[in-house]
Every structure is written in C-alpha cells, then in structure tokens.
C-alpha cells in the first residue's frame, strides 16, 4: 500500500511538473508572439545576422538584448575586440582551461561531461555570454582530421551520452549550448566546399545520433550548422538536415546558427532552416541575412512567417537563458573549476602499456630525467580555432616537480624542437619532422644518469588544428629518434604522449616501453599526470577511438574516400566507422576502441539478462559481476556490445549499446547493472526510411574493451 501511495505521489509530482512545464511553455509562446507583433521587419532581420564577430542585434526599445556568444570547447575564450580578432586586453577574462573533447570522451564518464558543462556555463555567465559555441560532437571518421582533438569519439552512442550531459551542464547555468557542427564535419581539407555523400543509413546510425540525443535528451538550445555540404547541399541550407530532421522529426525548438562564414545564399538558407548567420567580417548589413534577406522578404521569396519563426526561436533561447527569471551571475577560474578540470583530466589519462610494472613509480626513485618539449609546453592556445587565456596551466614538468620534487632530483632536457606553425605553408614547415641531434645528445647524457626517464612527446595545438588535417599518422618533430636514443641508455623509460588524435605508436609499442596517453588536458594537466605516475590516481581512461596499425587500414583510406575528388567524397564505408570497420573486416588495430589499462585487474563473471525473450517496447536489464582482483582500488569501464546473429542486413560485428564506469575496492566485487532499450537494437532501413528491430537472436557481450570480450550471453526479440 505504502509503495502504491508513493508511486502515485511520484506520478503526480512528475506529471504535475510536466503539465506545469507545458503551461509555462505555452505562456512563453504567447508572450513571444506578443513581442514579435510589436517588431518591425527591419528589427526582426537585424536579429538574424551578426552585428559583430560574436553577437547579433537585440531590440533595445523592447528590452531584447544582443545575442552574445563565445567559443568554445576548451573553455570560454578571452574577450576579443568587437570587430577584429585581436585581444580586447581585459584583465578579468582569464579562464579555466578544460580538457579537450577526446580527453573527456576517454573518461567514458557522463558525470565528467556534466562537470565540464557546469564550468563552461558558470564562466560564460561571468562574461555575460548567452551562447557558448560548444560542445563539438562530430564523429571521428578520419584519424588525420585536424579537429579530432575537439571532437569526442568514433562511436555514436558514447558521443550521445556525453553530449547529453555536456549540454545539460552548460544549460543548468541558463547559458545556451551550441552543439556543433551539424553535420558530418569530418575533415578540414576543403571543409568549406566539400560535398559529403553519405547514405541515409550511415547518417542516421552514425553521424546524427549524438545531435539527436543532445536535442531530445539534452534539450540543446542552439545548434551550429557545419561548413561542409551533405548530399549536395551546404549544411547551412540543407532542408533535409535542418527542416526535416532537426526541426520536424526531432522537435528542435531552438535556433540554428551558421558556422562563421558558412552561409552561401539568402533564400535557400532562410527557407531551408538556418536561423542566424554568423561570420568573421563586415560590412554586416551586406550579409546574406541582412539587406538581401529584407529584399527577399519584400520580393515574396521568403515569407514573413518564416522570419517570425526565426525570431521566435531566438527569443525562446533568450527566455531560457539571459532573460530567464533566475539567471545566475557566474564565476570564473575558481578553485572549484580547477578541481573539475583536475577530475576530468585524471579520469581521461589512458595507460597503454605497463608490462615491466614500472608504474606507479616506486618510492625509491631518486632521480628523474624529464625530457621533451611537451613537458614544458602549454596547450591552452595555439593553431587556429578556439583557445583559452588560461588563468594557469600546470605543465608536465611542473606537475612532476610538485609531486616528486621532495623525494627525487628532477632535471629537464628539451629533446626535440616543435618547429611547426599552423599558419605557415607546407614549404615553410618542411623539415619540422627531423630530429635535432644536439637536443637528442643532451637528453641522452641526462637520461644516462637518472633512475627513470619520462619522455613527454606527442603533438601540440599548432600541429593539430582547425583549418588543416595532418598529413600522416607519424609522430612529429623526429620524436621517434629521441625515443630510440633515450630508451637505449635508460631501461626505465616511460613514454608520455600528449595529443588529441591517433598516432603511429607501432615502434614504441613493439619495444619494452611503458606508455601513457595524456591529452591537451587542461589547467591541471601536469598535476593529473604526475598523480597517475605516482599512483595517487589509478588510470581509468579508455581510448575513444581506434589506433590503426597503418593509415591504410582505416576505412576512409582503405576505400580511397578521403579527402575526395573534385570537392566530393563518398562515405563508401557506410555504417562501418571506427571499430565497426576493423572488427567486421577482421583488421587488428594497434589499440582498439575502449582500450586502456589500470594498476589493477578486473574479472568479469555472471553476465545475465532479466529475461530471455523480449518485445519491442521492453528494456533489457543486464547485470554482470566485476571483481577487482588486484591490490589497489580502481575504476573499470564496463562496455556492453551487441551483435545480431544471422542478421538479414549487413551490420557491424559489434555495436556499443551501454557502458558504465564503476569504482571497485581491492578484492571486492561490484554488481554492475545497465539497461538497453530493445528499440535501440534497431538499424535504419534505407528503403522503408524507418528504424527496424529485426526479430531473432542477439549476442550480448560484456567487455573491458571492444576486443576484450569477457562474458557473452544471448537473448531473443520476438
Ligand atoms: C569554427 C567554429 C567556431 C567559429 C567561431 C569556426 O571557424 O568552425 O567551431 O565556433 O569559427 O570562432
């Protein structure tokens, strides 16, 4: 009885809330209609295009503020001048530098994405920004893509779960998230003009789900259309993507903002779903959505109702953000924000190899050689694209000094020169891949004298950047020669790679090395890294994308569909992106999706589903026991993959459907529970144009990585 009453009370509360919310929404729409009625056509159109680099006009006489925005994914960018990209030289805009997208993805922890969002939201409020141009959730299709570090993973489900929480975090502070870049912004080469031919199944199953989740479950207030074309139409004027899918099917109520300078026509963009045109330079009244849009309305090519709809969407965003009743003041670069950056960084670091059990470092280590330009480099700024004027950024060397300085003698050698700038031509950058023998000799002399050598290599924000893709997977700056020389003289060499995308680590992996992967890991990067080296943090990150053995193993290269010909590229691999490709084609990767070690081990037993047979609307409740068999506490990311047995259509060998990160004390066992909706087993039928759950047998795999399947069970869908 008590249970029944509680259930009724909960239902009342829930539905009561829902209907109150609906009432509020309805009242808001009435209010917005009233405001629109008072506006002139000119006032409306002024709201639909930039009036400075990062704002569009408000209507002062009606109390509507400018729609201010700022980048971006790594934290709130410093204030720049209104009409050019130079610093406004503020002293109050030093911000928290947050770990990059692939680092957050490597945590496999939606709570970390949420923390990230809350920091972004609070710092945006402190700077009076209504829209934050983050997070960026494109699928990592091509390992060379210059923006891989900004994006999250190669898997739509992992991306989606993190997208929901990042958006919720930002918007919990009454700041609008702008989820970007919609859609399939998979490469930087020819990004403004490349046409991506993607079959609808691949679009629906791979490239759109994170955006859908961000809209439907995260309630994202704004979306940024991508630069590229999808199936013949620029994303800023793509009726299918913007009108049909985003607005009609998914019920998106907010505003679509163009990428900067990503609009190409007035009438097409206005009628096909774009709401706000943004760009990089004036004269602002000559933009597609300025005088030409006014003329198009007057000529009857764009209806005033279409204009009203755009204004309605912008006002809706404002009433949920800057014009909302409880708009918080915000705060910037606080200790709590630093702690969030630390938490995310410490969960993102991936232990790739520890065969010699060199890690965690023993207390008797008395001397450490820290080698490599990345040990003293900061990553908050660099290259094209958004960076952060970080209030502080702890380098690897500083972190190691702070954690080991009391007990060990720490010396530094640069080891290599990072001679590459994103704004130089290929010719000017030529030779940046060559080792510097003098620096190598210095590093070798130092490494000979110490108990341990920690080699900090990888790339940096110039080398991985918006605006260009990398040319190869090779480690840059002659780093391999440095690794070989240092490890020849010091057997206790630990390689720390700092980068945001896959690299060729074949040679390093083959030798007897200890390898740690860190990222562009934010203000607290050095502290988090040093705590992992020391064992204060047990590493728990797992790779959010596959590292191929060779570039030609990866789908777009194997099928010769990157970077395209004549500004056209066909996604020939269809749904087989990332591990879906490698597994289905039996190609062994260097590091598979979901891979990462710990200082302890986990044993899986007893994978169970609550039933054997399911119907379409059912939930599959899955449990599995995971025991920490080692001597230290650790966090395991339990991954659930499914495979349709005897599928009537081609499907990937494995698809991630659920995951959970759990902390387990030594010798203890955790009962890990996860749910999968039967409807999420569907594939998209290209011909029927709908999602179909095929009846029959499904294999369920509980795994520690996509290639380390620990327990298997099966169930049936009727
Ligand atoms: C990028 C966007 C960014 C915008 C504004 C564009 O070049 O693609 O991600 O938000 O610039 O800085």
């Amino acid at each position: 009885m008590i249970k029944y009453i509680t259930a009724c009370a909960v239902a009342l509360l829930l539905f009561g809330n829902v209907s109150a919310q609906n009432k509020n929404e309805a009242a808001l729409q009435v209010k917005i209609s009233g405001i629109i009625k008072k506006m002139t056509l000119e006032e409306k159109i002024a709201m639909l295009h930039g009036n400075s680099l990062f704002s569009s006009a408000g209507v002062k006489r009606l109390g509507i503020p400018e729609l201010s925005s700022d980048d971006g994914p790594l934290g709130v960018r410093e204030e720049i001048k209104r009409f050019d990209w130079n610093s406004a030289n503020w002293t109050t805009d030093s911000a928290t530098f947050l770990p990059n997208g692939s680092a957050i993805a490597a945590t496999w922890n939606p709570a970390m994405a949420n923390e990230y969002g809350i920091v972004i939201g609070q710092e945006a409020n402190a700077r009076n920004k209504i829209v934050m141009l983050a997070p960026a959730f494109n699928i990592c299709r091509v390992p060379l893509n210059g923006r891989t570090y900004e994006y999250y993973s190669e898997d739509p489900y992992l991306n989606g779960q993190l997208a929901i929480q990042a958006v919720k975090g930002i918007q919990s502070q009454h700041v609008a998230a702008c989820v970007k870049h919609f859609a399939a912004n998979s490469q930087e080469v020819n990004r403004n003009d490349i046409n991506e031919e993607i079959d609808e199944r691949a679009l629906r199953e791979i490239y759109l789900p994170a955006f859908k989740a961000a809209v439907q479950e995260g309630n994202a207030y704004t979306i940024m259309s991508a630069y590229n074309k999808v199936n013949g139409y620029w994303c800023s004027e793509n009726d299918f993507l913007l009108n049909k899918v985003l607005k009609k099917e998914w019920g998106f109520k907010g505003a679509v903002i163009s990428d900067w300078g990503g609009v190409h026509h007035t009438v097409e963009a206005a009628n096909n779903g774009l709401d706000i045109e943004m760009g990089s330079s004036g004269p602002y009244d000559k933009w597609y959505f300025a005088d030409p849009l006014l003329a198009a309305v007057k000529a009857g090519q764009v209806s005033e109702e279409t204009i009203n709809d755009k204004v309605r969407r912008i006002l809706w965003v404002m009433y949920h953000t800057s014009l909302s009743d409880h708009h918080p003041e915000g705060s910037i670069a606080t200790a709590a924000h630093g702690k969030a950056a630390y938490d995310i960084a410490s969960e993102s670091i991936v232990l790739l190899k520890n065969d010699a059990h060199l890690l965690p470092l023993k207390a008797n280590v008395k001397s450490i050689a820290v080698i490599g330009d990345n040990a003293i480099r900061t990553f908050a700024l660099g290259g094209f694209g958004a960076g952060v004027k970080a209030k502080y950024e702890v380098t690897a060397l500083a972190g190691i000094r702070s954690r080991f300085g009391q007990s060990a003698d720490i010396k530094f050698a640069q080891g290599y020169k990072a001679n590459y700038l994103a704004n130089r031509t290929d010719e000017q950058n030529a030779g940046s891949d060559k080792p510097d023998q003098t620096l190598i000799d210095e590093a070798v002399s130092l490494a000979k004298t110490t108990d341990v050598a920690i080699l900090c290599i990888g790339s940096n924000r110039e080398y991985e950047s918006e605006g260009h893709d990398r040319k190869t997977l090779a480690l840059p700056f002659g780093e391999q020669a440095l690794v070989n020389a240092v490890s020849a003289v010091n057997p206790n060499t630990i390689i720390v790679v700092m980068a945001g995308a896959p690299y060729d680590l074949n040679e390093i992996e083959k030798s007897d090395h200890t390898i740690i992967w860190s990222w562009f890991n934010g203000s607290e990067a050095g502290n988090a890294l040093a705590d992992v080296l020391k064992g204060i943090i047990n590493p728990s990150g797992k790779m959010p994308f596959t590292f191929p053995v060779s570039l030609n193993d990866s789908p777009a290269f194997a099928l010769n569909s990157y970077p395209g010909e004549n500004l056209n590229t066909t996604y020939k691999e269809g749904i087989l992106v990332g591990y879906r490709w490698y597994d289905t084609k039996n190609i062994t990767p260097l590091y598979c999706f979901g891979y990462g070690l710990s200082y302890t081990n986990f044993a899986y037993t007893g994978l169970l589903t609550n039933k054997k047979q399911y119907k379409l609307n059912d939930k599959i409740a899955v449990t599995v026991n995971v025991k920490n068999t080692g001597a230290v506490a650790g966090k395991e990311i339990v991954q659930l993959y499914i495979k349709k047995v005897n599928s009537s259509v081609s499907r990937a060998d494995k698809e991630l459907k659920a995951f959970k990160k759990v902390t387990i004390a030594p010798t203890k066992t955790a009962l890990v529970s996860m749910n999968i909706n039967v409807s999420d087993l569907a594939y998209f039928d290209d011909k029927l144009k709908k999602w179909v759950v095929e009846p029959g047998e499904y294999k369920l795999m509980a795994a520690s990585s996509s290639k380390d399947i620990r327990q298997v069970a099966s169930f049936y869908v009727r």
Side-chain angles (χ1 to χ4, degrees), residues 53-54 69-73 77 80 85 132-134 136 147 150-151 178 180-181 185 188 191-192 224-227 258-261 278-280 384-386 466-467:
L53 270 172
F54 284 97
S69 59
D70 205 352
D71 278 302
R77 189 211 290 253
I80 56 166
W85 293 87
M132 275 306 298
L133 307 172
R147 298 188 87 169
E150 272 185 80
Y151 299 156
C178 184
K180 60 193 191 181
H181 308 85
N185 180 202
E188 290 298 282
R191 68 171 175 175
N192 295 316
M224 187 186 290
S225 58
Y227 280 130
S258 78
D259 202 341
W260 267 231
M278 292 304 291
S280 297
F384 297 115
E466 184 179 332

Side-chain angles (χ1 to χ4, degrees), residues 110-244:
M112 291 295 122
N114 192 262
E115 274 202 38
Y116 155 88
I118 291 172
V119 174
I120 295 267
Q122 290 179 344
E123 301 208 354
N125 276 334
R127 296 271 311 285
N128 282 322
K129 305 297 177 192
I130 299 178
V131 179
M132 275 306 298
L133 307 172
F137 269 103
N138 291 99
I139 286 287
C140 302
R141 171 182 187 248
V142 181
L144 300 183
N145 178 10
R147 298 188 87 169
T148 303
Y149 79 90
E150 272 185 80
Y151 299 156
Y152 279 60
S153 91
E154 65 188 24
D155 180 79
Y157 180 75
L158 177 57
N159 267 18
Q161 294 307 299
L162 298 168
I164 294 166
Q165 290 307 325
V167 168
K168 281 191 171 171
I170 296 174
Q171 296 188 171
S172 70
Q173 304 305 310
H174 299 267
V175 169
C178 184
V179 185
K180 60 193 191 181
H181 308 85
F182 190 61
N185 180 202
S186 310
Q187 64 186 62
E188 290 298 282
V189 175
N190 299 324
R191 68 171 175 175
N192 295 316
D193 302 293
I194 188 82
N195 176 40
E196 330 235 304
E197 290 286 345
I198 313 173
D199 63 70
E200 190 171 348
R201 182 171 175 200
L203 256 181
R204 298 275 190 177
E205 289 189 24
I206 306 292
Y207 296 97
L208 300 188
F211 291 98
K212 183 180 184 187
V215 167
Q216 293 196 322
E217 292 171 69
N219 193 24
Y221 298 151
T222 74
I223 293 276
M224 187 186 290
S225 58
Y227 280 130
N228 49 285
K229 293 178 183 172
V230 167
N231 294 334
Y233 300 94
W234 270 295
C235 289
S236 58
E237 52 186 68
N238 196 309
D239 182 54
F240 175 77
L241 286 176
L242 303 183
N243 280 338
K244 294 209 168 71

Side-chain angles (χ1 to χ4, degrees), residues 38-53:
K38 293 186 194 145
M39 292 171 68
T40 66
L41 180 59
E42 286 74 8
E43 283 171 335
K44 293 175 193 172
I45 286 187
M47 289 179 70
L48 307 186
H49 62 88
N51 65 352
S52 80
L53 270 172

Side-chain angles (χ1 to χ4, degrees), residues 357 400 429 600 658 677:
H357 298 287
I400 292 168
N429 277 320
T600 185
N677 294 321

